[in-house]
Amino acid sequence: SVTGELDNVKSSGCFPNHATNLNERTLTPEEMEKLKNDRAVVSNFKQKKLETDAQKNWDLFYKRNTTNFFKDRHWTTREFDELKNCRQSDGQKLVLLEAGCGVGNCIFPLLEEDLNIFIYACDFSSRAVEFVKQNSLYCPERCLAFQCDLTKDDLQTTIQAETVDVATLIFVLSAIHPDKMQQSIENIFRVLKPGGVVLFRDYGLYDHAMLRFKSGNKLGENFYVRQDGTRSFFFSREHLGSLFQQAGFEAAMNEYVLRETVNKKEGLCVPRVFLQSKFCKPAPSQSIS
C-alpha cells in the first residue's frame, strides 16, 4: 500500500489521524535489544555487488510487479498544498519534477487534477519509465518521462537549470546508497528555481519495516537490504536535515509522521514512522537600495 510503499502492510491509501512529532519514536525494551544485538553487517563484496546490480534489481522489481504494486497517490495534494499553492498567479503553469517516478502513481492523478502543470518524471529503472510512457494518460505536451540515475546523471542534460517550481522525492532517497544521497540532492538543487521547494516523504527511524529485518540484512547504520536486493535507509530528522542543508537548502518543515497501521490478517497493529519534509532553495534576497 502507499503508506508502507515497499514494506507492504495493508492499510488505507491516505494518511488519516497521523501524529506529527519532532522526536523520534520511543522503542520498547525488546526493540532496543533487537537493534543492539543486530551487529552482523553484509560483507563488502556483497555490498559492492548490490550497488552494481541496483538498477537491475529495480528493473526486475517492475518486471515482477508491473504497474500493480503501488496504489495511485491521490493523497499528495492533500498532504502538500504547495502542489496547488505555489503559483504566483492563477494562470501560471506549474513545472514539477518527480524524482523517482516509478510507474506514475503520483504524476497521473496530478495530470488529471491539474490542467496547468508540466511534469518531468524520471526513474532509475528504464522499465518503470516505459510503463509511464505506455499509460493512456501520458501526453508528451504535458509530461516528459526519462531514465536517470540521480547519483550520477546530470538532470540538466534534460531539464534547464533553475526552471522547476516543485520537486518531489517520495520514497526515493531511502533506496539510494547513503554515500550518494548528497549528490542526488545537489542534482535536484541545480534544476530548481530560486524559491523552489522539494517535497519529501520517506521512511523514518524505527519504522516497523526497519525492525522487521532479520539478522544478516544490515548494510550499515539504519541501512538494510530486502530479499529482492532493493535497499532501504531509515532517516532521522537530523540526518535528513543536514543532507539538505549541505546541498544549500533551507528546511521549511521536517518532522516525523507517526501512525499505526492495522494488519487484520496477522492481527497486528504496527507502528509506522515516516519523515515528511519541505526544503526550499533560497531565493536571492531583495537588495535594499
Side-chain angles (χ1 to χ4, degrees):
S1 75
V2 166
T3 37
E5 292 297 302
L6 281 191
D7 303 295
N8 226 345
V9 177
K10 289 283 174 254
S11 75
S12 65
C14 58
F15 297 93
N17 321 323
H18 61 229
T20 56
N21 207 316
L22 296 180
N23 300 319
E24 61 202 35
R25 187 185 147 243
T26 309
L27 292 171
T28 65
E30 297 79 40
E31 290 169 335
M32 284 170 86
E33 192 63 21
K34 180 187 184 299
L35 286 179
K36 200 172 81 184
N37 293 334
D38 189 10
R39 293 204 188 92
V41 173
V42 171
S43 72
N44 268 346
F45 174 77
K46 192 174 173 200
Q47 295 228 29
K48 285 192 176 117
K49 184 156 172 48
L50 285 167
E51 183 62 26
T52 309
D53 293 348
Q55 191 169 1
K56 187 175 81 182
N57 288 334
W58 278 108
D59 274 335
L60 286 169
F61 171 85
Y62 286 111
K63 184 180 183 180
R64 276 193 307 277
N65 297 293
T66 65
T67 57
N68 304 321
F69 192 83
F70 303 116
K71 290 186 176 73
D72 278 352
R73 295 175 179 153
H74 290 285
W75 51 267
T76 45
T77 46
R78 271 203 312 278
E79 292 287 322
F80 293 120
D81 51 9
E82 281 75 3
L83 292 173
K84 292 220 168 79
N85 300 342
C86 74
R87 294 171 165 90
Q88 263 94 45
S89 63
D90 281 353
Q92 184 192 339
K93 188 186 269 306
L94 191 71
V95 178
L96 179 86
L97 161 65
E98 193 184 4
C101 62
V103 296
N105 299 90
C106 189
I107 62 175
F108 292 121
L110 285 174
L111 285 167
E112 276 186 296
E113 273 178 45
D114 190 338
L115 296 175
N116 215 5
I117 193 168
F118 182 88
I119 301 179
Y120 291 104
C122 68
D123 200 274
F124 192 28
S125 163
S126 48
R127 195 180 288 271
V129 171
E130 232 12 77
F131 281 127
V132 171
K133 290 180 171 175
Q134 285 162 14
N135 191 304
S136 59
L137 293 169
Y138 185 76
C139 160
E141 288 76 44
R142 302 190 58 214
C143 185
L144 174 61
F146 60 103
Q147 194 275 333
C148 173
D149 177 350
L150 285 173
T151 68
K152 61 175 200 285
D153 302 334
D154 189 350
L155 283 167
Q156 292 175 108
T157 54
T158 306
I159 306 170
Q160 202 179 330
E162 303 198 336
T163 56
V164 171
D165 296 296
V166 181
T168 58
L169 257 184
I170 298 177
F171 295 101
V172 174
L173 204 60
S174 57
I176 291 172
H177 193 288
D179 294 350
K180 297 182 173 181
M181 288 176 183
Q182 189 74 56
Q183 55 253 54
S184 306
I185 297 168
E186 287 167 4
N187 202 352
I188 292 169
F189 185 88
R190 289 190 285 270
V191 295
L192 266 185
K193 287 176 182 170
V197 64
V198 174
L199 306 177
F200 180 94
R201 189 176 192 122
D202 217 324
Y203 298 111
L205 197 59
Y206 308 144
D207 176 52
H208 174 69
M210 175 176 172
L211 298 163
R212 242 178 14 176
F213 279 108
K214 293 184 171 61
S215 188
N217 290 72
K218 190 172 181 174
L219 300 170
E221 195 179 355
N222 308 332
F223 192 39
Y224 297 83
V225 60
R226 299 184 187 89
Q227 279 173 314
D228 64 2
T230 62
R231 296 167 298 175
S232 191
F233 187 86
F234 296 84
F235 292 95
S236 69
R237 275 183 69 237
E238 295 74 17
H239 181 64
L240 184 72
S242 77
L243 281 171
F244 273 87
Q245 206 177 347
Q246 284 169 42
F249 284 96
E250 291 167 355
M253 169 186 148
N254 185 20
E255 55 196 25
Y256 293 106
V257 174
L258 308 176
R259 57 190 309 269
E260 295 202 313
T261 299
V262 178
N263 185 333
K264 290 198 176 82
K265 196 171 76 178
E266 293 178 36
L268 286 176
C269 184
V270 298
R272 300 310 315 249
V273 183
F274 306 108
L275 264 182
Q276 186 154 307
S277 314
K278 298 173 189 175
F279 296 101
C280 301
K281 179 172 179 171
S285 50
Q286 300 291 305
S287 58
I288 301 161
S289 50

